[in-house]
Amino acid sequence: MIRVSRSSLCFALLAGSLSCATPNAPVVDAIVRVQSDTLVVTQVATGSATWLQFTIPLSIQNLGPTSVTPTACASSIEVQMDDRWERAWSPICALNASPDSYPARTVRTFTLSVSAALPGGRGSPVWGGRRGASYRVSLGLAPSGRTGRIPLVTSNAFFLRNEP
């Protein structure tokens, strides 16, 4: 008869559940960097909503062995709330052409345009940020030849300020 201690059984069950809960997402070796620590925001009023708009200058340094493609539908802007990061904005996605791929071991720049309705209006997507907070980009980078879950790479932090 096999005797198993209660702690050994608990450890085995915990290890098994953790391995099942960890998705098999491909690993992307890349650095996403916002090129400015403060970005200027404009507000545009329309009949049904006030829109917050800004552009983020980004660079992607692909350190890995295969090309990667930024995926807008898997990307977002995150806001720091106390000691955690929460989603402040993500684009409304439609079927459109993918942007350029970033070859292995290269650095390229591009801009990400953000347009979001301020809360209280009838626009979408709605901005979930707050004044004076730190933000970062969480960018989906799909490795070439891979399927499944798209890895996310986060950028350095930046701030927003209203247009003078």
Side-chain angles (χ1 to χ4, degrees), residues 123-136:
S124 186
V126 175
W127 181 249
R130 65 178 185 176
R131 208 173 273 253
S134 292
Y135 295 91
R136 70 181 184 185

Side-chain angles (χ1 to χ4, degrees), residues 40-46 49-54 114-119 127 131 160-164:
V40 177
V41 174
T42 59
Q43 291 185 16
V44 178
T46 64
T50 299
W51 296 90
L52 177 118
Q53 299 174 334
F54 60 99
V114 175
S115 183
L118 293 177
W127 181 249
R131 208 173 273 253
L160 298 174
R161 71 172 172 84
N162 288 332
E163 182 178 56

